[in-house]
Amino acid sequence: MLVLSISYNESEGELPTVCPVCGGGMTSVMNSTLDGRTIEVCRRCDVCPYTIGTTKHVPGRYSFSRKRR
């Protein structure tokens, strides 16, 4: 069995609409504030477990390791 670990680097620019890991679509996760406004707290990939907060992080290094039985 293989285990995938991903290290992320902080980057400038707008948040992605397409997942930088698998190419799937990104869905906005919204939250209501105390004054009644709605804000985006993060974006989540529809396909893989990639999630990005309000600061843009892009994959920097992929590490594959073998898990012993």
Side-chain angles (χ1 to χ4, degrees):
M1 177 179 191
L2 288 176
V3 177
L4 171 65
S5 300
I6 305 172
S7 299
Y8 297 96
N9 296 326
E10 195 169 309
S11 178
E12 293 186 20
E14 295 193 21
L15 294 176
T17 56
V18 176
C19 178
V21 176
C22 71
M26 300 288 286
T27 302
S28 294
V29 177
M30 306 299 279
N31 195 7
S32 296
T33 62
L34 293 176
D35 62 358
R37 293 183 297 141
T38 302
I39 60 169
E40 181 179 32
V41 291
C42 68
R43 289 189 187 175
R44 183 176 312 154
C45 179
D46 297 330
V47 179
C48 73
Y50 178 76
T51 302
I52 187 169
T54 55
T55 305
K56 183 178 177 185
H57 290 88
V58 293
R61 175 177 290 189
Y62 297 92
S63 301
F64 297 91
S65 59
R66 186 174 163 186
K67 186 175 183 181
R68 296 185 187 262
R69 294 182 188 195

